[in-house]
Amino acid sequence: MMKHSLQLEAFKAQDARSSRGCRTQRPTLTAQERSQEHHHQPPRLPHRQGTMLLATFKLCAGSSYRHVRNMKGLRHQAVLAIGQELNRRAPGGPTPAAWINQVRRRGSLLGSQLEDTLYSNQELAYIQQGEEAMQRALGILSDQEGWKKESQQANGDEVLSKVIPDVGKVFRLEVVVDQPVERLYEELVEHMEAMGEWNPNVKEIKVLQKIGKDTVITHELAAEAAGNLVGPRDFVSVRCTKRRGSVCVLAGMATHYGEMPEQKGVIRAEHGPTCMVLHPLAGSPSKTKLTWLLNIDLKGWLPKTIINQVLSQIQVDFANHLRKRLESRPALEARC
């Protein structure tokens, strides 16, 4: 437990540093370069050479950033800006080597500026919400105090629970799966929409929108539970997936998505900050330790005893169905 807690703390700290590192700052130039920028205009390139350079920059703008390839407007603006900068150069400026060094230093700044313009304010809000859900969920898991055992299976699967102020009762599943992390990542992230095929508690999961490489908006339709005492529920969630070293974290929480209003005859339930943590089992890297923090508000008028029974059983069932799925399907190429 202590080692797992330290891993989570390290993950949180590294993730926070990464987020802060995304804030861009103006590169520091040497005194000579500042003087050259102030007193001289850079050289105007011959038409043929300028055209070749412009084509090269256009190629880079379209291929170096995967998410830019299909964004013609943004790519066009970037190329125009570079072209204007080239045409602005006049004799007497810095040498080609000095200018190239400036471009190299400013490369990360240009990339960050392109990233900033890729997303709308709403998309940036979704990204931030997903990252906040991850930090909050990892914070809950990092606190080892106060967990009570709900159930333990013969194979070692264990469900624990804890009441968190301002959050409510949360459930924690601890299991070991005889498959590598990459295999679980493939099934739970890359093939997320296929979960309804192997988990009877889920009728359907649909990705409504993908934002960047880490964030998605999903709609999940859950099956009836507890002998139909718990009717059909659905969830609209923002999900964030990240990896630090050998640890993969899949986190999420409820969000609002205007294009997916509440459905007739289905109660819109909500995920609180929730996450799954995957990492190789110590001493057995071909096996995975999976920790699932579950926090759900089912809404409606349901006795707490039924809610607690349903949620803990959902976690036990999930582990069993996941193992069957992994055993029945051959391993495909996966990335984590």
Side-chain angles (χ1 to χ4, degrees):
M1 282 289 190
M2 180 62 70
K3 182 176 180 181
H4 185 51
S5 177
L6 291 174
Q7 285 180 319
L8 293 178
E9 290 295 340
F11 186 99
K12 288 170 58 183
Q14 189 173 2
D15 190 48
R17 288 195 299 270
S18 305
S19 299
R20 290 195 298 268
C22 291
R23 302 173 185 172
T24 59
Q25 297 181 353
R26 189 179 189 276
T28 302
L29 303 179
T30 66
Q32 180 181 2
E33 290 168 342
R34 287 197 299 270
S35 176
Q36 290 170 339
E37 277 194 335
H38 181 72
H39 294 290
H40 300 285
Q41 292 295 329
R44 180 176 298 276
L45 298 173
H47 176 73
R48 180 179 178 83
Q49 185 179 2
T51 302
M52 293 177 64
L53 278 175
L54 186 59
T56 301
F57 276 112
K58 182 175 181 180
L59 178 61
C60 292
S63 61
S64 296
Y65 301 96
R66 183 186 308 171
H67 43 270
V68 178
R69 290 174 184 165
N70 296 323
M71 301 190 66
K72 296 181 180 179
L74 177 61
R75 184 172 55 201
H76 181 64
Q77 292 176 11
V79 173
L80 282 178
I82 294 170
Q84 291 170 1
E85 182 70 15
L86 288 174
N87 290 332
R88 209 168 47 81
R89 304 283 165 177
T95 64
W99 187 75
I100 289 172
N101 286 334
Q102 292 181 32
V103 172
R104 286 174 176 170
R105 279 194 293 271
R106 294 175 181 174
S108 59
L109 177 60
L110 173 61
S112 298
Q113 289 172 338
L114 289 174
E115 289 280 359
D116 289 343
T117 59
L118 281 176
Y119 307 113
S120 66
N121 290 337
Q122 182 60 70
E123 289 171 331
L124 290 172
Y126 284 136
I127 292 173
Q128 182 178 6
Q129 188 180 21
E131 292 177 349
E132 289 176 354
M134 179 172 293
Q135 291 299 317
R136 291 176 61 188
L138 291 175
I140 294 173
L141 288 179
S142 297
D143 185 357
Q144 300 295 314
E145 301 295 328
W147 293 95
K148 296 181 180 180
K149 186 179 296 186
E150 291 280 338
S151 67
Q152 184 161 7
Q153 309 303 307
N155 61 1
D157 293 358
E158 187 176 50
V159 177
L160 303 98
S161 67
K162 181 179 181 178
V163 177
I164 308 293
D166 301 324
V167 174
K169 191 168 187 176
V170 299
F171 294 83
R172 174 177 182 161
L173 173 70
E174 299 276 2
V175 303
V176 174
V177 181
D178 293 336
Q179 296 284 343
V181 170
E182 289 80 3
R183 185 68 182 89
L184 274 73
Y185 181 90
E186 173 191 278
E187 200 65 61
L188 298 176
V189 178
E190 296 183 348
H191 298 148
M192 179 193 310
E193 291 183 304
M195 188 175 294
E197 299 175 4
W198 55 269
N199 187 351
N201 291 318
V202 176
K203 286 186 175 180
E204 180 185 55
I205 293 184
K206 183 178 181 181
V207 174
L208 302 176
Q209 183 177 353
K210 184 173 177 61
I211 307 170
K213 62 184 175 114
D214 298 329
T215 307
V216 295
I217 310 297
T218 63
H219 176 252
E220 176 182 344
L221 180 61
E224 297 84 353
N228 293 331
L229 288 177
V230 179
R233 259 69 173 171
D234 73 343
F235 305 83
V236 174
S237 307
V238 56
R239 303 187 186 214
C240 177
T241 304
K242 291 192 177 182
R243 176 175 181 172
R244 294 294 180 268
S246 61
V247 180
C248 289
V249 179
L250 329 173
M253 67 184 302
T255 194
H256 174 75
Y257 193 74
E259 297 180 23
M260 182 53 70
E262 294 188 18
Q263 310 294 304
K264 185 177 180 179
V266 179
I267 296 176
R268 176 64 52 86
E270 294 183 352
H271 286 295
T274 181
C275 75
M276 286 188 186
V277 181
L278 314 173
H279 64 88
L281 183 66
S284 300
S286 62
K287 298 181 180 181
T288 300
K289 177 68 178 295
L290 183 152
T291 300
W292 177 17
L293 176 70
L294 178 63
N295 174 22
I296 291 181
D297 183 354
L298 290 175
K299 304 294 185 179
W301 299 95
L302 292 171
K304 289 186 178 181
T305 53
I306 293 181
I307 294 176
N308 295 340
Q309 178 183 354
V310 166
L311 296 183
S312 62
Q313 189 61 46
I314 282 176
Q315 289 193 304
V316 172
D317 292 344
F318 168 82
N320 292 332
H321 295 310
L322 177 61
R323 287 190 179 98
K324 291 179 181 178
R325 173 70 166 186
L326 296 174
E327 293 170 359
S328 65
R329 293 189 70 210
L332 302 176
E333 182 179 358
R335 299 180 306 277
C336 183

